Amino acid sequence: MFFNMFKQQIQNLVYSALKSLAKKGVFSQITLEKKSIEIETQFQKEKGDYSSNIAFSLAKQLKQSPQAIAQKIQEEILIKKPKFFKKIEEKNGFLNFFLEENILTSKFLKVESEKLFSLNIGKNQKVIIEFSSPNIAKPMHVGHLRSTIIGDCLANLFSFSGYQVIRWNYLGDWGTQFGKLITAYKLWGKEEKIKKDPVNNLLNLYQRFHSEVKKNPQLEKMAQEEFKKLEDGDKENTRLFQWFSKESSKEFQKIYRLFKIKFDVIKGESFFYQDQEKIIEELKKKKIVQESEGALIIDLKEFNLPPALILKSDEAGLYLTRDLCALIYRVDKYQPKMILYVVGNEQDLHFRQLFAVFQKIRKNKVKLVHVKFGLVLNEKKEKFSTREGELIPLKELIDKAIIEALKILNKKQPAWPKEKKQKIAEKIAISSLKFNNLKTYRLNDIIFDWERMMSFQGDSSVYLQYTFARFSKILAKSKLSRNFIKDFQKRNQKIEVNSLEKDIIKKIIDWPDIIISSVRNYAPNILANYLLSLADLLNQYYETTPVLQEENLEQRHFRLYLIEICLEVFTNGFNLLGIETLKEI
């Protein structure tokens, strides 16, 4: 592939230099595979186009400083006067490689644009990505936002990279809280009233239970009894539970439709309840569990973790028990290469214990990853919640985003019909909510600054969409077909490329590295910020370089070709982030 060609060339040069230095006796014999020589794309001009930290990897083995090793490698490479590179320098132990710009441009013009976005690092390996995972009988709230958006983007990235992705929504639909809800419904609920607004009314009942139990502690025992009846298959409690689940699912789907998110598998904890007994027996048989005050625990000292409680003294299973059942089910049924759990930081201990227990019970080589993320904060950097401390419903947040988007459109496009403004405002709102999450490294908290989120300048989805619309308009005004523009390189005309165009070309060839890095680090922010930097270059280009006014026909066609490829990069990037393209805004 064209994009990897320069990296492979550098790998060959470094590997050859190391072998030559070893042969000359300058270095001792080095046991090193060529593919283990890492070449990184550089994003700072002063550091070149690519760099290698190989000298740091070899410093301990060779008992020399990284600077000394890098200088010797640099000198050995330069003896051969390699093509492609105008300069190779050592800087603080790093080897930095600067490409010959004419070679960069000529190679770029020989590539078929369809092949620019061909990436298959996954090789059809199965990956299960668990994300969103709301609790039934409660509205989705702002706390579900990051899991839903980050998980969907990661699923897109892995799928784009050739992995066979299974999108999994693991609903919270089991546990003593449903005994409380059933108790509240039987005491105070009316079916006709619940049906008018099922999820919010069920939430009100649940909250009433917690208020009433302070005055009447006996309600706690009633809730335990109702949940035990549900576990034992009581017809009425099962009917209520299934009704609550069905109504919740309808509400969740409204949110998922707005975000254009789909799942391959939707299963709740209740699906795995029946497997608990079988798993407990397996743990006992393998002598992995031990009794402690009537409960069953698993010692995890070897993992430097506290014991995992797997069965309570009243023989009730726990969230960890059901999660273990779900994990074993997934591994046995789908045989994935990897399972990602897109869940907040606060569940860190839970997943470390889960992965440790699984390692003790099964020896599968499946890679288990807790993809953690930070909190959602308001403009004051406080937890995004109501005055009562409850997390804000997600629907309320979406409605607020649409109102903010409409304010912008009313100022920018007052003549647009009301329906058109409403439709585009919805797209801007959803895109802004997504991008505000994705541009920030997931371990960091995100802040809701509405003005910044929807600014036509700076680090917003609106800025990206505006850039896309601006350059789409240039292509439309050219009155040339896209096929004609794409066929530019076949005409093989010599053209002059200015420094800004070279920067744009370099940015385009970073595309596969950006995707690979986003996948390997489970970090959508890498892709989001890459698109922002490309937009910055394009907007500078718009202000400084004539396109349609360029008198030289081939020069004009080259510039249209460059814009076309950039728009393809944006289209692919937007699709991966789950953002809609807008041709006018």
Side-chain angles (χ1 to χ4, degrees):
M1 215 172 115
F2 161 66
F3 295 122
N4 293 326
M5 180 174 63
F6 296 118
K7 284 193 172 185
Q8 288 168 0
Q9 180 76 7
I10 296 169
Q11 272 186 340
N12 292 338
L13 287 170
V14 174
Y15 186 68
S16 177
L18 288 170
K19 289 186 71 176
S20 178
L21 288 165
K23 192 174 181 181
K24 291 176 181 179
V26 177
F27 290 161
S28 58
Q29 288 295 327
I30 299 166
T31 53
L32 182 73
E33 289 185 22
K34 188 191 298 182
K35 65 181 180 181
S36 66
I37 299 172
E38 293 186 0
I39 311 299
E40 295 292 330
T41 301
Q42 270 296 346
F43 305 112
Q44 295 172 283
K45 286 185 182 181
E46 65 275 12
K47 293 183 179 180
D49 299 293
Y50 300 98
S51 69
S52 174
N53 65 352
I54 185 65
F56 290 87
S57 303
L58 296 172
K60 190 175 181 180
Q61 183 182 345
L62 296 174
K63 296 179 180 178
Q64 297 182 37
S65 71
Q67 290 86 346
I69 295 169
Q71 285 169 9
K72 288 169 186 174
I73 296 171
Q74 175 203 21
E75 291 165 5
E76 190 66 27
I77 290 173
L78 290 174
I79 290 171
K80 298 180 180 179
K81 297 180 180 178
K83 61 180 183 177
F84 290 177
F85 305 102
K86 67 178 178 183
K87 185 169 68 169
I88 300 171
E89 67 174 19
E90 179 276 327
K91 191 78 171 176
N92 299 324
F94 289 89
L95 283 167
N96 297 328
F97 297 81
F98 296 75
L99 287 171
E100 281 284 3
E101 289 166 344
N102 60 334
I103 288 176
L104 179 76
T105 306
S106 64
K107 292 291 181 185
F108 172 73
L109 290 174
K110 290 178 183 177
V111 176
E112 294 177 32
S113 63
E114 288 78 9
K115 293 181 180 178
L116 295 178
F117 308 102
S118 173
L119 198 63
N120 191 28
I121 60 172
K123 298 178 182 176
N124 294 314
Q125 298 172 56
K126 280 185 189 172
V127 177
I128 294 174
I129 302 180
E130 177 190 307
F131 63 102
S132 195
S133 305
N135 295 319
I136 70 164
K138 294 178 182 178
M140 286 181 72
H141 55 67
V142 70
H144 297 112
L145 188 67
R146 297 205 77 183
S147 174
T148 304
I149 291 170
I150 293 170
D152 181 58
C153 183
L154 288 176
N156 293 339
L157 283 162
F158 272 83
S159 182
F160 182 83
S161 302
Y163 291 87
Q164 184 180 340
V165 175
I166 300 169
R167 298 161 175 259
W168 198 298
N169 196 353
Y170 186 55
L171 302 178
D173 68 348
W174 205 246
T176 54
Q177 67 266 33
F178 293 100
K180 295 174 184 179
L181 181 59
I182 290 170
T183 300
Y185 177 79
K186 287 183 176 180
L187 288 173
W188 310 300
K190 292 184 180 179
E191 191 165 337
E192 286 69 28
K193 183 182 177 182
I194 298 293
K195 283 181 177 179
K196 291 177 182 176
D197 187 2
V199 174
N200 283 314
N201 285 327
L202 289 172
L203 176 63
N204 291 336
L205 284 176
Y206 186 72
Q207 290 172 333
R208 181 173 178 180
F209 177 92
H210 280 277
S211 176
E212 295 286 343
V213 78
K214 294 173 185 176
K215 297 178 282 185
N216 181 10
Q218 190 66 22
L219 288 172
E220 198 71 56
K221 186 179 179 183
M222 290 174 62
Q224 291 171 359
E225 290 171 354
E226 292 294 351
F227 183 60
K228 184 69 170 63
K229 285 163 66 177
L230 178 62
E231 286 185 308
D232 294 340
D234 176 81
K235 284 186 178 180
E236 176 59 11
N237 283 12
T238 299
R239 182 189 73 81
L240 290 174
F241 171 75
Q242 290 174 344
W243 175 41
F244 299 162
S245 298
K246 184 179 177 181
E247 294 299 336
S248 298
S249 180
K250 288 178 186 177
E251 289 301 309
F252 298 159
Q253 286 306 317
K254 290 177 184 177
I255 300 292
Y256 295 138
R257 277 195 294 271
L258 280 170
F259 281 108
K260 291 185 165 51
I261 290 174
K262 293 182 179 180
F263 295 92
D264 300 301
V265 180
I266 300 177
K267 289 189 186 299
E269 292 177 61
S270 60
F271 181 84
F272 302 101
Y273 164 68
Q274 299 297 334
D275 294 339
Q276 288 183 151
E277 189 175 335
K278 182 176 67 175
I279 295 302
I280 296 293
E281 286 305 310
E282 183 179 347
L283 291 167
K284 287 179 179 177
K285 191 175 180 182
K286 293 183 176 181
K287 297 181 179 179
I288 291 172
V289 292
Q290 59 191 62
E291 192 171 324
S292 175
E293 299 179 1
L296 290 180
I297 64 169
I298 299 176
D299 192 302
L300 298 175
K301 285 179 185 174
E302 63 193 284
F303 300 97
N304 295 316
L305 291 170
L309 179 62
I310 209 79
L311 192 70
K312 291 194 286 189
S313 56
D314 61 1
E315 297 192 346
L318 296 106
Y319 181 68
L320 178 64
T321 321
R322 295 187 288 276
D323 243 16
L324 181 61
C325 295
L327 172 52
I328 291 169
Y329 173 87
R330 292 167 181 177
V331 171
D332 290 348
K333 183 176 176 64
Y334 296 97
Q335 299 175 337
K337 183 76 174 178
M338 191 185 317
I339 302 177
L340 307 184
Y341 293 83
V342 187
V343 183
N345 283 330
E346 65 277 6
Q347 293 293 324
D348 179 63
L349 176 60
H350 168 80
F351 283 106
R352 284 193 288 142
Q353 287 184 314
L354 174 65
F355 299 165
V357 171
F358 181 76
Q359 196 171 324
K360 287 174 76 79
I361 194 174
R362 298 287 174 94
K363 300 301 178 185
N364 302 67
K365 291 183 179 179
V366 61
K367 184 176 181 180
L368 304 174
V369 183
H370 176 201
V371 181
K372 304 179 261 191
F373 53 83
L375 297 171
V376 179
L377 307 177
N378 63 22
E379 293 96 327
K380 296 179 182 178
K381 297 186 180 179
E382 301 167 336
K383 197 169 182 180
F384 212 96
S385 59
T386 63
R387 288 179 184 175
E388 293 75 31
E390 294 290 332
L391 289 170
I392 291 175
L394 201 45
K395 182 63 170 64
E396 188 177 314
L397 192 70
I398 293 168
D399 290 342
K400 164 77 171 169
I402 293 171
I403 290 168
E404 294 296 323
L406 275 171
K407 287 179 185 177
I408 292 169
L409 289 178
N410 285 331
K411 287 180 183 177
K412 290 278 183 183
Q413 304 290 355
W416 278 5
K418 187 176 179 180
E419 286 184 9
K420 181 177 181 178
K421 280 191 280 193
Q422 180 67 29
K423 189 175 180 181
I424 292 181
E426 288 177 8
K427 291 181 179 181
I428 290 174
I430 296 299
S431 296
S432 296
L433 288 171
K434 287 184 177 183
F435 194 76
N436 193 51
N437 273 268
L438 298 173
K439 72 178 182 184
T440 305
Y441 179 50
R442 57 181 169 77
L443 287 177
N444 297 337
D445 297 336
I446 64 163
I447 298 168
F448 267 78
D449 181 333
W450 293 103
E451 187 176 341
R452 185 174 177 181
M453 272 175 62
M454 297 190 181
S455 171
F456 276 70
Q457 297 177 330
D459 55 350
S460 70
S461 63
V462 181
Y463 173 63
L464 292 179
Q465 289 166 316
Y466 175 70
T467 303
F468 184 88
R470 176 182 245 187
F471 283 89
S472 293
K473 195 174 290 185
I474 290 175
L475 289 188
K477 283 182 178 178
S478 74
K479 296 183 180 178
L480 296 175
S481 72
R482 288 202 159 183
N483 286 334
F484 180 86
I485 293 170
K486 282 186 179 182
D487 286 343
F488 168 79
Q489 73 260 54
K490 293 180 183 178
R491 298 194 285 279
N492 202 26
Q493 297 292 320
K494 289 185 178 180
I495 49 96
E496 292 181 13
V497 179
N498 65 37
S499 61
L500 192 50
E501 287 165 340
K502 288 171 186 173
D503 288 342
I504 293 171
I505 290 171
K506 285 179 186 177
K507 187 60 67 176
I508 291 170
I509 72 168
D510 291 340
W511 167 262
D513 288 327
I514 292 297
I515 300 301
I516 291 167
S517 185
S518 298
V519 167
R520 289 181 177 166
N521 293 288
Y522 320 110
N525 66 293
I526 294 173
L527 172 59
N529 286 287
Y530 164 80
L531 293 177
L532 286 171
S533 61
L534 179 58
D536 287 343
L537 287 173
L538 277 177
N539 283 304
Q540 289 177 47
Y541 195 55
Y542 184 90
E543 300 296 338
T544 61
T545 309
V547 178
L548 298 179
Q549 294 80 19
E550 172 58 52
E551 293 181 0
N552 183 300
L553 188 62
E554 287 303 321
Q555 198 76 29
R556 190 194 313 156
H557 288 173
F558 164 73
R559 288 175 180 172
L560 290 168
Y561 170 73
L562 189 62
I563 290 169
E564 168 63 28
I565 300 303
C566 286
L567 291 183
E568 287 196 25
V569 170
F570 276 124
T571 300
N572 280 273
F574 284 7
N575 287 340
L576 293 173
L577 295 175
I579 292 171
E580 289 201 55
T581 57
L582 296 175
K583 291 192 176 180
E584 58 178 342
I585 187 171

